[in-house]
């Protein structure tokens, strides 16, 4: 019987978790990334601007966590997008499509009542890890 080894993933290139959880956990060839927020890791502040600017920062932070996990956008198999307003769907899709560079993981998108730090968008993902 094999034993699962969970490895906590942390990078200072992305914002620290704001609660009792990890930026990501690598286990059994996958990395499970917690929701990324549009927070500048250097300042701890939400980036200024609208949903496009926030989506850019979310994906920058996610990219850093994936890199620290020995993974990348092209290895994402499932993502979930949380929006404060479903009216922002097209704007976030534009940024998401550009940043993922043609990768087409399975994805869900939901509108929520409120997000941490009152941001407009949060994205989490599951990706494979390179050996």
């Amino acid at each position: 019987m094999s034993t699962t080894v969970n490895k906590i993933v942390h990078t200072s290139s992305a914002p620290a978790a704001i609660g009792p959880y990890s930026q990501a956990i690598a286990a059994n060839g996958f990395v499970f990334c917690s929701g990324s927020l549009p927070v500048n890791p250097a300042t701890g502040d939400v980036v200024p601007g609208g949903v496009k600017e926030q989506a850019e920062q979310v994906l920058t932070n996610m990219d850093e966590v994936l890199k620290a996990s020995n993974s990348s956008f092209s290895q994402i198999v499932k993502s979930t997008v949380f929006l404060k307003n479903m009216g922002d769907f097209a704007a976030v899709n534009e940024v998401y499509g550009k940043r993922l560079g043609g990768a087409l993981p399975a994805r869900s998108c939901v509108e929520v009542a409120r997000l941490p730090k009152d941001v407009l968008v949060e994205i989490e993902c599951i990706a494979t890890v390179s050996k």
Side-chain angles (χ1 to χ4, degrees):
M1 181 170 184
S2 65
T3 303
T4 299
V5 177
N6 295 343
K7 177 185 170 218
I8 293 174
V9 177
H10 173 77
T11 176
S12 59
S13 298
I18 58 173
Y21 60 91
S22 303
Q23 290 172 322
I25 295 289
N28 291 340
F30 290 93
V31 61
F32 300 82
C33 296
S34 295
S36 289
L37 296 175
V39 172
N40 179 321
T43 66
D45 296 329
V46 175
V47 295
V51 74
K52 282 188 172 184
E53 292 81 8
Q54 287 196 11
E56 286 281 357
Q57 186 65 51
V58 164
L59 291 165
T60 295
N61 293 340
M62 180 180 286
D63 187 35
E64 292 298 329
V65 173
L66 287 167
K67 286 178 188 172
S69 307
N70 202 25
S71 190
S72 66
F73 285 147
S74 66
Q75 293 170 265
I76 296 173
V77 294
K78 173 70 168 84
S79 66
T80 305
V81 178
F82 303 94
L83 296 175
K84 172 71 176 148
N85 181 339
M86 193 57 77
D88 291 331
F89 184 80
V92 171
N93 261 351
E94 180 182 329
V95 174
Y96 182 94
K98 179 181 76 172
R99 291 296 302 272
L100 265 65
L104 299 171
R107 188 182 87 178
S108 301
C109 182
V110 295
E111 180 180 274
V112 297
R114 193 170 181 201
L115 290 165
K117 296 188 175 240
D118 291 316
V119 301
L120 304 174
V121 60
E122 178 178 1
I123 304 173
E124 66 182 21
C125 73
I126 301 167
T128 57
V129 175
S130 298
K131 297 197 183 231

